[in-house]
Amino acid sequence: MMAGERLSSAEELLWANSLLGAGGERLVWDALQEWSCLSSESRLLARPLADFLCAVWDEQSEVAAALMWTLPEGLAVPGVDATGYAKGVRALIRGASERLTLLAPYLEVEGMGQLQGELLAALARSVSVVLVTQDANSLGSWASDSVEPLRREARGLSGCLRVYTAPATAPVLLHSKLVVADGASAVLGSANLTGNALLRNLETGVVVGARQAVEIERVVQAAIELGQVHLVFATESTPL
């Protein structure tokens, strides 16, 4: 009954004491936070709440996985959008209201150009954007050349753009390809942020929900905090 309603503090959950005993409201509040059941506006989100309740009863909620594809020229499949991967990533970026995380080992100017308009629009509405890649600190590298137009255009926008990189000589490759919006939903799949991956290859991605999105954010943040990637640059956010 409370799905979609605002829930601003544990004090609004005092009814839980009759079920869980003293302090029950805090237990429920902490669980809702852990399962990302509250939006940035403190509204109770139905899907994460359903996942949480199913976990309480040792059941799995049914999640309809949405697939996205890039299909090469000449491969037409009824009901499959040949450019759905790029469209799905752009839609995810457009829906972000607080933060975006993008991770791809390989960038290329054409691929980043597919997303630049949406990324700049996100920065203009004060979204914090983190981009993690490989070899972006080497002048003249594909990654460096690919983020330079975004860096130039992002200056003066109210959001902050941070680009992190692992060196090309790193012993391990950050091989995941991920885009996460607000810890609420994410796209993960096979596509790098290149023109071939978003326009011409055979690539597959899947949209996941809040529980997986939060885990992805935690892993990326841990890589940053442990120094496995390093800050290349950060644009200054402009107060509104």
Side-chain angles (χ1 to χ4, degrees):
M1 292 175 61
M2 295 178 65
E5 300 295 324
R6 290 184 183 276
L7 188 63
S8 57
S9 68
E11 283 67 32
E12 297 179 53
L13 300 169
L14 289 175
W15 52 264
N17 290 347
S18 62
L19 300 173
L20 302 174
E25 79 283 4
R26 175 53 60 181
L27 290 174
V28 174
W29 175 259
D30 290 345
L32 293 175
Q33 297 281 350
E34 181 181 350
W35 282 79
S36 302
C37 293
L38 298 175
S39 72
S40 59
E41 299 174 340
S42 298
R43 293 189 183 278
L44 198 58
L45 300 171
R47 171 58 67 182
L49 178 61
D51 289 337
F52 166 56
L53 293 175
C54 287
V56 170
W57 279 284
D58 269 331
E59 297 289 345
Q60 293 294 320
S61 63
E62 294 184 9
V63 178
L67 293 178
M68 307 179 310
W69 299 85
T70 302
L71 299 183
E73 185 177 358
L75 178 57
V77 180
V80 175
D81 186 345
T83 58
Y85 206 127
K87 290 176 182 175
V89 172
R90 286 195 292 265
L92 190 69
I93 295 171
R94 284 195 298 270
S97 60
E98 294 182 357
R99 62 189 186 275
L100 279 165
T101 301
L102 300 91
L103 188 155
Y106 301 116
L107 310 180
E108 178 259 351
V109 172
E110 184 182 20
M112 288 298 295
Q114 290 289 310
L115 309 179
Q116 180 155 324
E118 282 75 16
L119 288 171
L120 290 173
L123 289 163
R125 59 179 184 269
S126 302
V127 174
S128 174
V129 178
V130 171
L131 173 62
V132 182
T133 188
Q134 198 96 353
D135 201 28
N137 57 339
S138 299
L139 290 178
S141 68
W142 280 17
S144 177
D145 290 347
S146 299
V147 298
E148 178 59 21
L150 183 62
R151 183 190 69 82
R152 290 198 306 266
E153 296 295 328
R155 287 182 295 186
L157 297 179
S158 55
C160 182
L161 169 67
R162 295 180 178 86
V163 174
Y164 293 86
T165 191
T169 56
V172 296
L173 177 65
L174 302 180
H175 202 247
S176 298
K177 293 89 173 176
L178 309 163
V179 182
V180 191
D182 296 333
S185 59
V187 171
L188 59 153
S190 62
N192 283 293
L193 301 183
T194 66
N196 281 337
L198 295 177
L199 297 172
R200 291 178 285 275
N201 292 346
L202 176 58
E203 307 277 1
T204 313
V206 64
V207 180
V208 297
R211 187 177 179 187
Q212 293 81 15
V214 168
E215 183 172 325
I216 292 168
E217 285 186 329
R218 290 174 55 215
V219 171
V220 174
Q221 185 60 35
I224 293 172
E225 293 175 356
L226 291 173
Q228 295 187 345
V229 295
H230 304 283
L231 185 67
V232 179
F233 67 82
T235 62
E236 293 290 334
S237 59
T238 302
L240 296 174

